């Protein structure tokens, strides 16, 4: 036996043991953190610590509010996309979407009857539930379903089959976040939305950016060809508003 080699081997074994123990500890800590986070999501959903705020949508030609977008807010405060992602990680994604939509639709009765309400839905959620059966009491013609441009759609024919009964009933379809990132126009062409929503990253400082103005003009002409309406998100200044008008 070589004492030097034995000592070196023992040192390596001890090092590996320490690394393994650290990894196991980190894994256990991550598991505990996930369990705690999932309990928090469940408490939020069961306790209905979830509510909607309504962002007005204005017809610029008429200068009148024509609809609202229902936006989810949570207690404790956290970005909505973070809450929904956490809910999906915990296997409660559909439950979280359903709760958000039910709460959003419950507020329709308090809104003027001429306003429509736009709610966000993922394609996966739409496949699992019929919005017409949620019992909000509102006319389907007052409802708009928003699908994000970032949504992963594996089969557009299946999605069209899910959307068609809603459209037949009078519910309109919108594509959200248009112009954000590098999502292709194929999403819009396949869905043929009634409403195309320009992402706020395209709207912000549009009065100072000729490239954004050119793209907005192109999207307006594109929407006209499709027979769609355009909604600009995130208008914050008077000069942005004047350019859009």
């Amino acid at each position: 036996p070589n004492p030097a080699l034995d000592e070196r081997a023992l040192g390596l074994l001890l090092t590996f043991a320490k690394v393994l123990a650290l990894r196991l500890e980190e894994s256990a800590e991550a598991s505990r953190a996930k369990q705690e986070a999932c309990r928090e999501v469940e408490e939020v959903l069961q306790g209905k610590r979830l509510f909607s705020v309504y962002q007005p949508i204005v017809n610029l030609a008429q200068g009148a509010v024509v609809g609202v977008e229902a936006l989810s807010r949570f207690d404790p405060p956290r970005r909505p996309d973070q809450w929904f992602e956490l809910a999906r990680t915990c296997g409660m994604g559909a439950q979280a979407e359903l709760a958000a939509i039910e709460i959003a639709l419950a507020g329709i009765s308090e809104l003027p009857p001429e306003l429509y309400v736009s709610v966000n839905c993922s394609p996966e959620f739409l496949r699992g539930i019929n919005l017409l059966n949620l019992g909000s009491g509102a006319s389907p013609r007052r409802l708009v379903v928003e699908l994000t441009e970032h949504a992963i759609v594996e089969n557009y024919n299946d999605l069209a089959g899910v959307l068609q009964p809603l459209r037949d009933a009078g519910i309109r379809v919108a594509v959200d976040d248009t112009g954000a990132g590098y999502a292709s126009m194929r999403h819009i062409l396949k869905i043929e939305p009634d409403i195309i929503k320009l992402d706020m990253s395209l709207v912000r400082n549009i009065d100072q950016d000729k490239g954004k103005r050119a793209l907005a003009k192109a999207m307006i002409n594109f929407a006209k060809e499709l027979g769609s309406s355009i909604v600009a998100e995130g208008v914050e200044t008077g000069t942005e508003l004047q350019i859009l008008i």
Side-chain angles (χ1 to χ4, degrees):
N2 188 324
L5 290 177
D6 290 346
E7 185 176 348
R8 190 179 307 157
L10 180 59
L12 287 173
L13 286 174
L14 289 174
T15 299
F16 287 144
K18 288 179 181 178
V19 170
L20 180 59
L22 180 62
R23 293 287 174 85
L24 290 173
E25 184 179 346
E26 290 175 347
S27 178
E29 181 62 29
S31 178
R32 286 193 293 270
K34 181 178 178 180
Q35 290 177 357
E36 180 61 30
C38 291
R39 277 196 296 270
E40 189 177 25
V41 171
E42 192 169 359
E43 289 173 2
V44 167
L45 296 179
Q46 289 181 350
K48 298 298 182 183
R49 289 189 284 133
L50 162 65
F51 57 96
S52 286
V53 295
Y54 298 93
Q55 178 74 32
I57 300 170
V58 178
N59 183 307
L60 296 185
Q62 301 171 357
V65 177
V66 294
V68 296
E69 179 183 0
L71 304 172
S72 296
R73 296 293 182 264
F74 295 82
D75 179 25
R78 188 181 290 168
R79 276 174 35 192
D81 60 330
Q82 293 176 338
W83 269 113
F84 285 112
E85 181 58 34
L86 183 57
R88 282 190 287 271
T89 301
C90 296
M92 293 182 279
Q95 184 181 349
E97 282 199 62
L98 177 60
I101 291 174
E102 286 180 333
I103 290 172
L105 296 183
I108 288 184
S109 60
E110 300 180 26
L111 296 171
E114 68 273 14
L115 301 188
Y116 70 82
V117 176
S118 187
V119 295
N120 292 276
C121 294
S122 67
E124 295 80 6
F125 176 79
L126 283 176
R127 288 189 180 93
I129 194 166
N130 188 343
L131 286 179
L132 297 172
N133 295 333
L134 288 185
S136 67
S139 166
R141 298 190 179 279
R142 292 186 65 190
L143 302 181
V144 173
V145 171
E146 289 191 25
L147 301 174
T148 177
E149 193 186 36
H150 300 300
I152 297 174
V153 179
E154 296 180 355
N155 190 314
Y156 281 98
N157 289 331
D158 287 349
L159 179 58
V162 171
L163 292 175
Q164 195 57 53
L166 304 180
R167 285 176 146 159
D168 290 343
I171 294 177
R172 287 177 290 167
V173 177
V175 169
D176 197 9
D177 303 324
T178 302
Y182 295 94
S184 72
M185 297 301 291
R186 179 172 177 266
H187 195 65
I188 295 175
L189 290 171
K190 288 292 186 179
I191 294 175
E192 297 183 356
D194 304 284
I195 299 171
I196 297 173
K197 301 189 70 178
L198 300 184
D199 187 75
M200 66 176 63
S201 64
L202 178 60
V203 174
R204 192 64 44 81
N205 299 321
I206 193 172
D207 54 309
Q208 304 171 31
D209 191 320
K210 64 181 180 181
K212 291 182 178 181
R213 293 196 295 274
L215 184 53
K217 288 179 181 179
M219 288 303 304
I220 290 169
N221 289 329
F222 176 68
K224 286 180 179 177
E225 289 293 326
L226 286 184
S228 305
S229 300
I230 287 278
V231 170
E233 295 186 298
V235 183
E236 297 288 349
T237 69
T239 50
E240 290 171 352
L241 179 62
Q242 289 305 314
I243 287 293
L244 290 167
I245 291 175

